Amino acid sequence: MTTATTPTTDPADPTEQKQAGAVDRFFEITKRGSNYATEVRGGIVTFVTMAYIVILNPIILSTPDVDGNTLNGAAVAAATALTAGVMTVLFGVVTRLPFAFAAGLGINAFIAFSVVGSVTWPEAMALVVINGIVIVLLAATGLRKMIFDAVPVQLKLAITVGIGLFIAFIGFVNAGFVTATGNPSPPVDLGIGGSVASLPTLLFIITLLAGGVLIALRVKGAILIALVGGTVLAAVVNLIWPFGLDFGFAGGIVSLPDLSLIGAVDFGFDLSKVGALALVMIVFTLVFSNFFDAMGTMTGLAKEADLADEKGDFPRIKSALVVEGVGAIVGGGTSSSSATVFVESGAGIGEGARTGFATVITGGLFLLAMFFTPLTSLVPGAIAGAALVLVGAMMLSQIKHIDFSDYRVLLPVFLTITVMPMTYSIANGIGAGFVSWVVVNALSGRAKTIHPLLWIVAAGFVLYFARGPIEALFA
């Protein structure tokens, strides 16, 4: 097996050889032990596992705003694909890292279920833009990197493990393997009434186990093979025993994208409907969610790709943090919500993606998805869920680098790892870890070891967690 770059041009043409070499050097493909075929495969896998956001984001952003108005679903889908494509390509070229962008699930849910009850959709998206501007300023001045450096390495590793459990939990839920009971206890259950004997869940299990076997055998393209094989199997099973999947494309597979929501933002906030303090708290919450979700996700993905050093730093980190802030500005400007690094990028990394070349491939597919929206829903949720669980299991391996012998480390790490999946929020897990790290270490004789910025961030998270009572107090 060779690690040389897979030829993509005629070797007899020196000009094309030189161009190919320039691309290789720019993205550091060979330097990072990868090749073109692996990067393309990784980019495709990342897109396949993320494509659901083009369908899911319009559903989440369908909530009526304070005036009873809703966003057009087709326009949101097109804007989601456009923003994901543009930001993913930009991030790949600027940072040369294998991290893809799309509308952040936690942020879009916060906007849909907590913000538009007080403001209109254009005003809500203006707040997302303001949030992005704040993040860009923090990153450009180096403050965001300083905060990042202040985080203990144990917490950075815990963030990686927590994200692994989080995306695995997303996979379990999307596949119907884990369901909500609607009861106080137990809040979740296995399948339906404790049974997994439903066709989507059985397809999830088959795909998960098949992917696990392929990975164990070190088969190249294991996750992609599992995804394609699971989708084909689902199509065949659906023909014999229909269970709601639509592989017929009765409405056609190609359509011109509706880009009418681009620029539909309104900074003229009606303070008679929402107070200035409430607007400040909304931006504060958006910044904290965006800031630490992205930081945690980037840390986890960099570790998974073996691109992070012992401190958790990775190449071009400042540029990465700036571009991530730009994603919020662009996402707000297109009314698709803040675009941020997606944890599903781990699927492509699991396939061997190590550079921004894979990210450019993913971004290009998102741009094509604007015209082929029905195709983005081709992979059933249960099949994509299996890929997420496989990646989550891989990311869990980072736990071996954490020393649990000191309870000052154990408790914050435990909270970081468990709060993420239990509250369905990366930011909540990071906040629980930061606050508990400061409190436990400060009150057990190690106050001097805590970086001053960590005190500030922990205090910020205390406000973040108490934002509900604070807003009510000043309402």
Side-chain angles (χ1 to χ4, degrees):
M1 180 181 299
T2 177
T3 59
T5 303
T6 302
T8 58
T9 59
D10 182 0
D13 189 333
T15 302
E16 290 185 345
Q17 274 192 317
K18 185 177 181 180
Q19 290 174 344
V23 172
D24 187 308
R25 290 193 299 273
F26 179 80
F27 286 105
E28 301 176 343
I29 296 175
T30 301
K31 181 179 179 181
R32 296 184 184 176
S34 187
N35 55 61
Y36 285 114
T38 300
E39 295 299 304
V40 170
R41 184 173 66 239
I44 293 172
V45 169
T46 295
F47 170 77
V48 168
T49 58
M50 290 177 59
Y52 72 87
I53 193 62
V54 180
I55 306 300
L56 184 59
N57 200 38
I59 295 174
I60 294 175
L61 299 182
S62 62
T63 307
D65 64 17
V66 67
D67 291 337
N69 298 319
T70 59
L71 297 176
N72 179 275
V76 174
T80 300
L82 173 63
T83 303
V86 170
M87 287 309 307
T88 299
V89 171
L90 177 65
F91 190 84
V93 172
V94 172
T95 71
R96 299 158 213 178
L97 296 169
F99 309 161
F101 272 57
L105 285 174
I107 295 174
N108 62 5
F110 173 68
I111 295 169
F113 304 129
S114 301
V115 176
V116 295
S118 303
V119 299
T120 65
W121 273 111
E123 290 172 341
M125 291 305 169
L127 291 171
V128 175
V129 172
I130 294 173
N131 147 69
I133 294 173
V134 172
I135 291 177
V136 169
L137 291 175
L138 289 174
T141 57
L143 183 58
R144 193 175 186 184
K145 177 64 167 59
M146 289 173 62
I147 297 174
F148 187 87
D149 290 339
V151 179
V153 65
Q154 296 95 328
L155 284 182
K156 291 180 180 179
L157 291 170
I159 289 169
T160 305
V161 176
I163 291 174
L165 291 181
F166 178 48
I167 64 173
F169 188 56
I170 292 174
F172 283 131
V173 172
N174 289 352
F177 190 81
V178 173
T179 56
T181 63
N183 300 318
S185 182
V188 294
D189 199 356
L190 178 67
I192 301 174
S195 172
V196 295
S198 65
L199 287 177
T201 309
L202 287 175
L203 289 168
F204 161 78
I205 294 172
I206 292 171
T207 305
L208 175 64
L209 295 178
V213 170
L214 292 172
I215 293 173
L217 294 174
R218 301 183 183 277
V219 175
K220 289 292 184 181
I223 296 178
L224 180 59
I225 294 171
L227 283 169
V228 174
T231 300
V232 172
L233 178 61
V236 172
V237 171
N238 189 63
L239 288 174
I240 302 173
W241 299 289
F243 60 99
L245 295 181
D246 180 14
F247 291 99
F249 306 114
I253 63 173
V254 181
S255 63
L256 291 175
D258 180 353
L259 303 178
S260 59
L261 288 176
I262 295 179
V265 296
D266 181 8
F267 291 93
F269 303 105
D270 186 350
L271 297 181
S272 65
K273 295 180 180 179
V274 57
L277 180 62
L279 290 176
V280 171
M281 289 303 298
I282 290 173
V283 173
F284 177 86
T285 304
L286 285 171
V287 169
F288 260 75
S289 297
N290 223 147
F291 190 110
F292 287 101
D293 269 8
M295 190 193 78
T297 303
M298 288 184 187
T299 301
L301 293 174
K303 280 286 185 182
E304 184 64 20
D306 295 324
L307 296 176
D309 58 23
E310 64 278 0
K311 295 181 180 179
D313 293 338
F314 49 86
R316 301 178 183 88
I317 185 172
K318 183 175 181 178
S319 298
L321 296 175
V322 170
V323 174
E324 196 277 329
V326 173
I329 298 174
V330 175
T334 59
S335 293
S336 60
S337 182
S338 176
T340 187
V341 175
F342 244 56
V343 293
E344 283 84 347
S345 302
I349 292 172
E351 281 299 318
R354 293 294 180 270
T355 77
F357 190 81
T359 310
V360 171
I361 297 297
T362 303
L365 291 173
F366 266 116
L367 293 176
L368 286 176
M370 287 194 300
F371 304 91
F372 297 91
T373 300
L375 286 176
T376 62
S377 59
L378 180 61
V379 179
I383 305 303
L388 297 182
V389 174
L390 291 170
V391 173
M394 293 177 183
M395 297 181 74
L396 183 66
S397 65
Q398 294 294 331
I399 201 170
K400 66 186 177 182
H401 300 296
I402 303 175
D403 182 5
F404 291 106
S405 61
D406 187 346
Y407 202 78
R408 297 180 184 89
V409 172
L410 175 58
L411 182 61
V413 165
F414 172 77
L415 291 175
T416 301
I417 293 172
T418 56
V419 170
M420 282 189 198
M422 288 183 179
T423 65
Y424 230 64
S425 169
I426 294 173
N428 285 348
I430 296 173
F434 281 16
V435 173
S436 59
W437 182 280
V438 169
V439 172
V440 172
N441 280 272
L443 299 181
S444 62
R446 291 190 180 178
K448 293 183 179 180
T449 66
I450 303 172
H451 194 287
L453 280 176
L454 206 59
W455 284 94
I456 297 174
V457 173
F461 266 116
V462 170
L463 293 175
Y464 172 78
F465 289 135
R467 65 188 183 277
I470 292 175
E471 290 175 352
L473 179 64
F474 292 96

